[in-house]
Amino acid sequence: MMTLMTDLRRELRRRGGAAQVRDLSVSRRELDRALATGEIVRIGRGAYALPDVDHDVRTAVAAGGVLGCVSALRRWQVDVPGGESVVHVSVPRGRGTRAGAVRAAKLRRHYEDAARHPVLPVTTFVAAAARAALCLPYDSAVATLDRALHQRPDTVRDEVLAMVRRTSPSRARAFAVDVDPSSRSAVETQVRLDLRRVGLAVAPNVSVPGVGEVDLLVDGVLDVEIDGYEFHHLRPEFAADRRRDRAALRLGVPTVRFAYEDAGPGVADEVLGVLRALAGKPAPADPRTPTEVLERIADLRSRCSVPEMRAEGWRHLTGADLQTAKRRVEALRSLVR
């Protein structure tokens, strides 16, 4: 039993700043004393917090749950595309709505029996990723899973897709085709999906001998780079990009660069225009290039042009997901006719 006010504050801090009373080893008397002195505040029925608690944590605990979906992923240090104005809360099934304390908040409740962190008010990484995969529009979900699963073991990917499969087998099949954790940004993911939807083979983040890793190798003959200002505006990076472009061109791999702001549906049309200029064939390499390097480039082109690199996960979707995907594909193809 807690006997000092600092113990209660310490326990709430350990739990992320807010908690349900059932999770605290504290008496009613001690709670009342802490409330009276302003050490803690009541944020909802049976829910208490430190005065400086984070807004999202306060909202989740006041609603009788914990942070879930994309709000939880952000706590797991995942760069989720889109805004943060809506708090996603995981609430146990059957628990009633606690509207009084959170009526004014932008809140989305997910009624689910999700695994949660043993201490902090947040669902586990796998539970959060699986919920986001079901909650977000399909393309945004692919981009989110790409970022969430980046540098994580394949077993984690399998766990997430298994959870998705229980609710939406069609999305799970589509994700198995489209999700690629090697992707480095949501914009890059969208461009990859769009290029494949107009019939191109797209290999993300492959290593080209003498050049290094390229963003998207298209049809094995064209390097498509998606450049964010944050990582490409400084002088050393600016110069390095151009050295890489020249090195790639000497190997017969021309490069086209798009700023994030230009990386919309029109990229497909521009890329197809460059491929038409190349007549669908590799550009010639510098005749002085060693035979061994040319052989490695030829092998790379072959591996990056296999049918798997043209696969389109949206074809596995059903219902509203499928209709939305079809509209996107039709819009893309109308731009490149």
Side-chain angles (χ1 to χ4, degrees):
M1 185 70 68
M2 295 182 181
T3 57
L4 298 174
M5 210 71 71
T6 53
D7 291 338
L8 178 54
R9 289 180 58 83
R10 188 180 302 114
E11 177 67 5
L12 281 171
R13 188 75 66 191
R14 187 175 76 90
R15 292 183 174 278
Q20 296 291 323
V21 68
R22 63 177 176 272
D23 296 324
L24 299 171
S25 300
V26 60
S27 69
R28 179 76 256 177
R29 185 175 181 180
E30 287 170 320
L31 269 178
D32 290 342
R33 285 176 55 200
L35 287 167
T37 60
E39 293 281 322
I40 65 172
V41 293
R42 185 176 182 273
I43 58 174
R45 189 174 63 193
Y48 299 87
L50 297 173
D52 62 348
V53 67
D54 172 87
H55 168 268
D56 289 3
V57 169
R58 177 185 180 124
T59 299
V61 175
V66 298
L67 292 172
C69 194
V70 294
S71 296
L73 283 180
R74 292 189 176 102
R75 297 298 161 134
W76 288 107
Q77 306 301 308
V78 175
D79 181 18
V80 179
E84 301 181 31
S85 60
V86 177
V87 182
H88 290 249
V89 179
S90 176
V91 181
R93 297 181 194 276
R95 181 165 295 176
T97 300
R98 300 184 178 187
V102 294
R103 187 178 294 119
K106 291 184 177 179
L107 171 68
R108 178 161 185 180
R109 290 179 176 85
H110 299 284
Y111 291 97
E112 57 186 0
D113 298 319
R116 56 170 289 182
H117 190 278
V119 176
L120 298 175
V122 62
T123 56
T124 64
F125 173 83
V126 170
R131 175 51 58 188
L134 293 165
C135 174
L136 296 171
Y138 181 75
D139 284 7
S140 295
V142 173
T144 297
L145 290 180
D146 279 358
R147 300 304 302 134
L149 298 173
H150 185 65
Q151 295 184 338
R152 291 183 182 269
D154 289 344
T155 53
V156 175
R157 178 179 185 271
D158 294 342
E159 285 184 68
V160 171
L161 293 187
M163 289 189 68
V164 172
R165 192 174 297 114
R166 294 171 199 161
T167 301
S168 177
S170 63
R171 274 208 173 199
R173 288 192 297 270
F175 288 141
V177 174
D178 282 337
V179 170
D180 191 321
S182 70
S183 179
R184 289 176 294 223
S185 74
V187 175
E188 184 181 305
T189 294
Q190 188 64 65
V191 170
R192 183 185 82 238
L193 295 177
D194 286 349
L195 292 177
R196 285 185 177 175
R197 288 166 180 172
V198 295
L200 300 176
V202 186
N205 299 301
V206 296
S207 182
V208 176
V211 177
E213 199 171 80
V214 302
D215 287 352
L216 302 168
L217 188 60
V218 179
D219 277 4
V221 301
L222 181 66
D223 169 24
V224 175
E225 296 287 326
I226 312 297
D227 294 343
Y229 181 80
E230 180 180 357
F231 298 105
H232 294 267
H233 75 286
L234 296 176
R235 200 36 96 171
E237 289 76 16
F238 184 87
D241 286 342
R242 277 134 194 86
R243 286 194 294 269
R244 282 163 40 89
D245 292 353
R246 296 193 298 273
L249 189 56
R250 287 195 297 272
L251 295 173
V253 184
T255 301
V256 291
R257 292 185 176 274
F258 295 90
Y260 272 16
E261 295 79 3
D262 296 330
V267 168
D269 184 41
E270 294 197 47
V271 168
L272 284 168
V274 174
L275 292 174
R276 283 192 292 269
L278 292 171
K281 300 177 181 178
D286 183 340
R288 298 170 296 178
T289 305
T291 301
E292 178 186 352
V293 174
L294 291 176
E295 289 174 349
R296 291 171 62 191
I297 293 294
D299 178 66
L300 179 66
R301 294 188 198 278
S302 177
R303 288 187 286 110
C304 292
S305 302
V306 296
E308 289 80 0
M309 296 301 171
R310 301 180 190 274
E312 303 171 63
W314 70 270
R315 296 181 182 279
H316 293 284
L317 298 173
T318 59
D321 278 343
L322 178 60
Q323 297 309 311
T324 300
K326 280 184 174 179
R327 286 194 292 272
R328 175 80 181 188
V329 172
E330 289 168 358
L332 284 168
R333 293 177 180 175
S334 70
L335 293 174
V336 300
R337 286 171 184 161

